[in-house]
Amino acid sequence: MDVKNSFLNGDLHDEVYMVPPLGDDLHEIEMLKSELASQFEMKDLGSLRYFLGNEVAFSPKGYLLSQSKYTADIIERARLTDTRVVDTPFELNVQYSPSDDSPLEDPTLYQPLVAVCQFIASPTTVYWIAVLCILQYLRGTIFQSLLLPSTSSLELQAYCDADHGRDPTN
């Protein structure tokens, strides 16, 4: 639901609580949407399809998240016309430093991509080649999706590269 002008006309001094209906009770959900629409100017946007650059598809197995359109837009913005793909986003064991190679004559194509943002202030041809490698990798994975199974727990797991890939400049 999209609520037009929600909380734009003043300060909210009261606490607002709402108990949502059960996620699978369609009748209760529709009644809640009708009640809210009678009180506020609202638009029902339907099922979630696209959010913050992520395409969202629902199946009985869970939710599929994809960034195919976002990735295609980035590749188009970079004017990458060849159709080559690579298996990894970077060459193995490569080390970059701010003094690598000569500065790009026109960094305006590099900077909006922000794929290698550590060197965005003064990109060089070496970094541009690295960005092209990343884009070729993304082109090869453009139709892959992430499945969030409906049977999985809500436990979040995260991993970190504590030494930043042994980056000598960081």
Side-chain angles (χ1 to χ4, degrees):
M1 300 293 290
D2 179 29
V3 181
K4 297 182 180 179
N5 298 324
S6 177
F7 305 110
L8 295 178
N9 298 320
D11 294 327
L12 183 63
H13 299 287
D14 299 321
E15 292 187 25
V16 178
Y17 295 96
M18 184 176 116
V19 177
L22 295 174
D24 57 356
D25 190 338
L26 296 179
H27 177 70
E28 286 293 319
I29 292 171
E30 287 303 318
M31 285 181 38
L32 174 63
K33 287 168 41 173
S34 295
E35 179 64 27
L36 289 171
S38 71
Q39 300 294 317
F40 305 100
E41 189 176 348
M42 303 183 76
K43 181 178 180 183
D44 187 349
L45 301 175
S47 298
L48 179 64
R49 300 260 187 247
Y50 197 76
F51 184 71
L52 298 176
N54 290 292
E55 296 166 66
V56 181
F58 176 74
S59 79
K61 292 183 178 182
Y63 287 94
L64 283 172
L65 302 180
S66 169
Q67 290 190 317
S68 298
K69 182 183 180 323
Y70 178 70
T71 304
D73 290 346
I74 289 174
I75 291 170
E76 182 181 327
R77 195 176 330 146
R79 300 183 205 137
L80 188 62
T81 56
D82 69 17
T83 57
R84 287 182 289 158
V85 297
V86 294
D87 294 332
T88 60
F90 283 109
E91 296 178 36
L92 294 177
N93 302 318
V94 69
Q95 297 288 325
Y96 296 108
S97 71
S99 61
D100 287 342
D101 211 7
S102 59
L104 288 175
E105 289 182 26
D106 181 13
T108 58
L109 190 57
Y110 175 93
Q111 290 170 334
L113 297 177
V114 191
V116 187
C117 62
Q118 181 178 7
F119 305 109
I120 196 165
S122 56
T124 66
T125 53
V126 169
Y127 309 137
W128 178 244
I129 291 168
V131 168
L132 292 178
C133 185
I134 293 168
L135 294 175
Q136 289 169 338
Y137 171 77
L138 289 174
R139 179 186 284 134
T141 63
I142 198 167
F143 295 111
Q144 292 186 3
S145 299
L146 176 64
L147 174 65
L148 302 176
S150 57
T151 58
S152 68
S153 70
L154 294 177
E155 182 179 318
L156 179 65
Q157 294 183 3
Y159 301 91
C160 175
D161 181 2
D163 69 352
H164 304 281
R166 297 195 173 136
D167 182 356
T169 62
N170 193 342

